[in-house]
Amino acid sequence: MYQRLRDLREDRDLNQQALADLLNVSQTTYSRYESGTLDIPSVSLIKLAEFYETSVDYLLGLTDKRKPYR
């Protein structure tokens, strides 16, 4: 899951601060999300899925289908 978050961010040429701003957290907190040292709150997972136009299941590694369910 954590590598997937990093890959999605890097594919869009974004830094961690940009995603931290989106989630209203510090860059350090977002870095801890990506490294897996801190669990990501469900509200943040939903925001990330909407931002990346994918599903939470994809972010969590439960599916390899990148398209959202909608």
Side-chain angles (χ1 to χ4, degrees), residues 21-49:
D21 291 345
L22 173 76
L23 301 176
N24 295 318
V25 297
S26 69
Q27 180 274 326
T28 304
T29 297
Y30 184 80
S31 175
R32 292 175 68 200
Y33 291 164
E34 271 192 14
S35 69
T37 58
L38 185 65
D39 285 336
I40 305 171
S42 56
V43 171
S44 295
L45 278 172
I46 292 167
K47 279 186 184 180
L48 288 169

